[in-house]
Amino acid sequence: MQKASDVIGRSVVVREGGEAVGKIKDLVVDTNGRQVLGFVISKGLLRSVRLAPWAGVQVIGPDAVILATADSIVKAGEAPDMKAVLDKDLSIQGLRLQTTTGKELGKIDDFQFDEHTGVVLGYELAGGVFGRNSFMPTPASLEFGKDL
């Protein structure tokens, strides 16, 4: 199990050749909040968005994310599912969670995912019902929106 905030900033290394190709800038999660689709990779001041889809991830280690080959890094247009999420400009962190009956559960502070499958296991919530941090397993149904 990994926390998203712990993975951000880790080095990205291509196993084939051992080349460091950047750092994890962000994680891209599907619009249902259930699956990590991959990572946004930053390197220097490059302006084009570089992505590492989940299929190219070999291992998420304690200090680095290892990709199988250099071809595991693509431009946004080459990963349409990830691009669609990025185009919506939604960040999970800071979103408020409410039940369908309008009960405030808190704001998403972080999330945990399975480092082998990318499945989102749950969300760490700040505030909410009891005014303290809590963990909520990923519900069967979840919708994200900027104002929710």
Side-chain angles (χ1 to χ4, degrees), residues 67-81:
L67 304 179
T69 67
D71 292 338
S72 300
I73 300 171
V74 299
K75 293 180 181 176
E78 298 173 63
D81 55 342

Side-chain angles (χ1 to χ4, degrees), residues 10-146:
R10 286 189 192 168
S11 295
V12 179
V13 177
V14 174
R15 181 190 55 79
E16 190 177 86
E19 179 186 359
V21 293
K23 293 191 178 291
I24 300 295
K25 181 177 180 182
D26 205 354
L27 287 79
V28 180
V29 177
D30 70 1
T31 55
N32 296 319
R34 303 184 65 78
Q35 178 72 42
V36 176
L37 299 175
F39 303 100
V40 177
I41 300 173
S42 66
K43 183 170 184 175
L45 299 174
L46 294 176
R47 295 193 181 236
S48 64
V49 175
R50 299 180 325 141
L51 305 173
W54 189 264
V57 176
Q58 193 163 48
V59 69
I60 299 175
D63 300 311
V65 173
I66 310 298
L67 304 179
T69 67
D71 292 338
S72 300
I73 300 171
V74 299
K75 293 180 181 176
E78 298 173 63
D81 55 342
M82 293 176 70
K83 184 179 183 321
V85 172
L86 293 172
D87 286 347
K88 290 184 179 186
D89 196 29
L90 276 178
S91 175
I92 290 176
Q93 188 174 10
L95 288 179
R96 291 189 344 244
L97 279 183
Q98 290 180 346
T99 65
T100 54
T101 60
K103 183 177 182 181
E104 183 80 23
L105 298 176
K107 286 188 177 185
I108 297 175
D109 192 40
D110 208 343
F111 66 92
Q112 297 177 9
F113 66 98
D114 183 295
E115 67 266 28
H116 303 290
T117 64
V119 171
V120 175
L121 302 172
Y123 300 92
E124 294 182 13
L125 305 177
V129 180
F130 301 108
R132 62 176 190 248
N133 289 358
S134 59
F135 180 79
M136 182 185 82
T138 304
S141 175
L142 184 66
E143 294 179 29
F144 288 124
K146 287 186 178 185

